[in-house]
Every structure is written in C-alpha cells, then in structure tokens.
Amino acid sequence: MRRFLIIVAKLIAGTVLIVFAVCFISSVSPVYRFGKPHGFEGPDIFNPYAGLDTALGWKRANFHTHTKVTGIFNECDFWPDEVLGRYEDFGYDIVTFSNHNKLTEHPSDASLQVNVYEHGYNLFKFHKLVFGCSDVMRFDHLLPFFAFQRQFQLDLLAKDADFIQLNHPFRTNFTSRRIMERLSGYRIVELDSGITTENEYWDWALSAGHYSFGLANDDLHFPDRSERFAVRCNWLNTNSAGYADIKKTLMSGTYYSMRVPDFGNGDWKVKREKNLCLPAIENIGVASDTVFIVLDRPARQIKAFGQDHAVLDSLSCADRMECILGPDEPYLRFTACFDDGTVIYANPFARYDSSVSDSPYKDTEHLVNVPLTIMFNVLMAGLAAVCIFLLMKLFKKN
C-alpha cells in the first residue's frame, strides 16, 4: 500500500512539474515599452456612420459561434448546418463559425465563407477572433499574465489576419484597466458579457487613445438553451453577407450591437416572435459638431458615454438624442436601453485630424526593452530547466 501511495504521489508531482515547465517554456515573449495613455484629439470628428445608407437597411449577424467539429474536442453538440438553420429562423442574415483554433467551412454556401477562428488555449481565457486568416496559429502563452505577452500574441496573429477582435475582456482573467490602456493592434472589442451593459473596459481602451469598434456576440455553445441563444447580435449596414462586404462594414464601423433578452423564458415560440420585431436605429451621425442618434421607437433611457466612462448626457423616454462634442471632448458613444430589456450599443465618434489619417485608429509601434526581454526569457528558461531537473530526479532510479 505504501509503495502504491508513493507511486501516486510521484505521478501527481510529476504532472505538476510538467505543467509548470510547459507554462514557463510557453511564456517566451519580448518585453515592450508601452507609451503613456493619450486621449483622442484633433479638429475633426470621426463618424463611423458616414457611409450609412438608410435605404439599404440592416442585416443581423452573429460572429462568435461554436459548433460541433470532427475530432474529440467539441464545445457544441450541433453541426454547423443545424446552428445556421436555427439562427436563420430567428432572422439572422450573417453567421460566421469561430471554433477554437480551427477554421470551419460554411455548411451551405461557399460564397459566404468567412475564415475566422477563436485563438487561445490559455488558462486566462485571453481569446481573440482572427478574421481573414489563411491558417491557425498554434502558439499561445498558457499564462498570459503580462500585457507584453498579450501584445506579442496580437502582433503574431496580425501577420496573417485582416483584423482581430478582442474577445470578452470582462470574462478574461486578470484584465485590468492598465492592460486595456496598453494593448493595441485589434480593431474590435467584444461587448456585453451578459453580466453588465456598461462596457467599461471599452472605455478604458478608448480613453487611452486605442480606437476600436464594438461587437456583441452570443459566443454560442448551446443553441438548444434559450437563455444562451440569440441573446446578442449585431446589425450591419451592408450590401450582402459575403466576406468582402462584411470586412468593409466591420472595418468602417457602419453597424451597431445589441443585447436581446431571453424573451419567453424558454418558450421558443414567444422568443422567435419577439426577435422578429426588435428596436432599431433609424439614423445616426454627425452634423457640424453635434452627434445624434434617432431610434425607431422611444427608449427607456439613452446615455452618451465619454472619456473615462463619464456620462456626458442622459435622456429618459426618448427616441433621439443630440450631443455637442466639444473640441476638448475626446469621444462619445451612445447606449439605448428599452423597457423590455433590449439594449443598443453604437460605435464611438472620436476626435482626430482628417488631414493626417482616415480615422482615430493607430497602428501603435512598441519598442522592445532589450535588457528586460533577455532577463525575462532567461528567467523563464531557468525555471523550466529547474522543473525538468526535478522531474528527472523524481523518477531517477536509485
């Protein structure tokens, strides 16, 4: 019995050492010098809805969708064609399949194929949607605790991507304001974790001068559970569901996002009926220095958020709002809450200089701190070596 317990103890200790060794080895990364946070400024106001065609209308979309895949690792019990059929029944026009570390083919129409996957094996759930890639990047830090590790991942992914979405920051472990103020290289932030409608982490990044658009997605794993299905979506002002038009719309910002209640609380008939008559934005844009939004029905409350998540204005029982974005006000974004629990999130209007760039978005270059990079990676290699040494010693025969 004693010999058996010793063997079990060694196996447990060996497993722990292997896990630590892998974590240390996978932690390799350059250490960057991040600049200080700096808000948007400039004589002009960037309007993400400048190309809005009200006659074109809006197409409903979900971009973060998991399905059953070939192999033993599955996060959903339904194949892509089954998931697509369910979404189309609820009025969705665009559905992309973003399985973990795997490109998934569109189940019915190759012309609607979107190469996108969710990157990340790590234990902190630092996940990204990678759009327009040709293959899956296998490298990941198992413990991406530091901002420079997360930035390194974004930089690597950007080499084979049209654009990147930062997934569910609210549910990503150890995502602090300091980290959001540093990260760049993504074009979209995933909004509304289901816990809060504030999206404060979005404002942390915007206030630091990192411009991005927002998408709200189901992050679907359970299409058979009403409380997990069709509870978030996005409305794109786009010509078609083809990738070229999707890419153009997502990169220009001519869309808005929405939280949708679980209408019927499990009654699928009620849920479907309510999903086919949701509120909408009729018009949104900029006139001189005034930013405005017009809804197709009164909202319980419309809020305008600005620098540092401050509420710049708020109206109750209104179907429109106008706000002057002063020269010293870096940005503004609208949130509209309705009595039935539906919430609309609009993309941010921001200060910039149109003579210098097309938008407030900047491809930030990060300088590598060479001494710290050497020290950090030598430390990780040393810790991994210690784990391997202990592992060998643990199983070495007397």
Side-chain angles (χ1 to χ4, degrees):
M1 183 64 179
R2 181 173 177 273
R3 182 178 178 81
F4 173 75
L5 292 176
I6 291 174
I7 292 174
V8 171
K10 282 189 173 183
L11 288 174
I12 293 174
T15 301
V16 171
L17 287 171
I18 290 172
V19 170
F20 273 104
V22 172
C23 287
F24 291 134
I25 292 171
S26 71
S27 293
V28 60
S29 172
V31 178
Y32 296 112
R33 299 179 187 270
F34 292 100
K36 293 182 179 180
H38 188 75
F40 306 115
E41 59 184 11
D44 307 304
I45 299 175
F46 175 72
N47 176 13
Y49 301 97
L52 175 63
D53 184 350
T54 55
L56 186 62
W58 306 93
K59 289 181 174 59
R60 191 177 185 183
N62 186 68
F63 294 100
H64 194 166
T65 313
H66 296 282
T67 66
K68 192 173 182 178
V69 297
T70 55
I72 60 174
F73 298 106
N74 273 286
E75 295 184 280
C76 180
D77 294 330
F78 296 81
W79 292 102
D81 60 331
E82 298 175 289
V83 173
L84 178 62
R86 286 173 179 259
Y87 269 121
E88 289 178 338
D89 191 46
F90 274 73
Y92 283 74
D93 306 287
I94 301 169
V95 179
T96 63
F97 304 97
S98 54
N99 287 303
H100 274 281
N101 304 296
K102 185 178 180 64
L103 295 174
T104 305
E105 293 183 2
H106 194 279
S108 61
D109 190 344
S111 68
L112 301 180
Q113 174 66 23
V114 175
N115 277 14
V116 59
Y117 71 98
E118 184 170 20
H119 176 269
Y121 312 94
N122 61 80
L123 304 179
F124 290 172
K125 295 184 178 181
F126 178 59
H127 297 162
K128 294 76 62 183
L129 285 195
V130 186
F131 286 86
C133 51
S134 61
D135 203 356
V136 173
M137 188 182 84
R138 302 297 176 182
F139 174 74
D140 191 13
H141 300 104
L142 291 185
L143 296 175
F145 183 78
F146 298 104
F148 58 79
Q149 292 175 303
R150 301 186 185 196
Q151 187 62 59
F152 184 45
Q153 288 186 35
L154 291 170
D155 292 346
L156 290 177
L157 290 169
K159 293 180 179 180
D160 181 32
D162 288 333
F163 56 97
I164 298 170
Q165 170 183 289
L166 204 60
N167 285 358
H168 46 66
F170 193 86
R171 292 189 288 113
T172 301
N173 297 322
F174 302 104
T175 299
S176 63
R177 175 164 187 165
R178 182 176 176 82
I179 284 181
M180 291 302 294
E181 287 176 342
R182 291 183 165 197
L183 294 183
S184 62
Y186 57 91
R187 299 300 299 264
I188 299 170
V189 169
E190 191 168 56
L191 309 179
D192 193 343
S193 64
I195 301 171
T196 174
T197 61
E198 290 294 299
N199 297 315
E200 190 170 5
Y201 50 82
W202 194 16
D203 287 315
W204 293 344
L206 291 171
S207 298
H210 301 304
Y211 188 84
S212 64
F213 304 122
L215 284 176
N217 298 297
D218 273 345
D219 190 359
L220 184 76
H221 294 265
F222 305 100
D224 55 337
R225 300 183 188 179
S226 65
E227 74 277 9
R228 304 293 292 274
F229 177 79
V231 291
R232 293 173 202 87
C233 64
N234 308 280
W235 297 90
L236 278 64
N237 187 237
T238 183
N239 286 310
S240 75
Y243 179 62
D245 284 332
I246 289 175
K247 175 185 173 182
K248 178 182 177 182
T249 305
L250 291 183
M251 294 289 279
S252 66
T254 317
Y255 60 92
Y256 64 92
S257 303
M258 180 180 285
R259 167 188 278 205
V260 183
D262 181 25
F263 295 116
N265 295 315
D267 187 326
W268 286 91
K269 182 179 179 181
V270 173
K271 183 180 180 74
R272 181 180 179 278
E273 291 174 351
K274 292 285 189 179
N275 265 266
L276 298 178
C277 57
L278 295 168
I281 291 179
E282 281 193 348
N283 200 5
I284 184 170
V286 178
S288 185
D289 61 351
T290 301
V291 181
F292 66 88
I293 183 172
V294 180
L295 307 169
D296 70 345
R297 67 196 70 175
R300 174 175 54 82
Q301 186 179 46
I302 306 175
K303 284 185 178 181
F305 288 98
Q307 188 76 1
D308 296 321
H309 194 59
V311 177
L312 304 179
D313 200 359
S314 177
L315 289 177
S316 299
C317 301
D319 64 357
R320 63 194 64 210
M321 174 183 274
E322 294 183 354
C323 290
I324 295 177
L325 190 65
D328 296 325
E329 197 63 55
Y331 75 93
L332 179 155
R333 64 176 183 86
F334 291 115
T335 296
C337 303
F338 296 82
D339 287 330
D340 62 3
T342 305
V343 184
I344 285 176
Y345 308 107
N347 280 321
F349 300 82
R351 286 281 169 186
Y352 80 123
D353 189 341
S354 60
S355 65
V356 175
S357 61
D358 295 332
S359 80
Y361 176 81
K362 297 176 183 177
D363 285 316
T364 306
E365 292 186 12
H366 307 288
L367 298 177
V368 176
N369 188 320
V370 176
L372 281 182
T373 296
I374 295 172
M375 290 173 59
F376 176 78
N377 289 292
V378 167
L379 175 62
M380 293 300 103
L383 291 172
V386 169
C387 291
I388 294 170
F389 172 77
L390 293 175
L391 185 66
M392 295 174 63
K393 190 174 182 179
L394 182 66
F395 290 99
K396 183 179 180 180
K397 292 183 179 180
N398 294 326

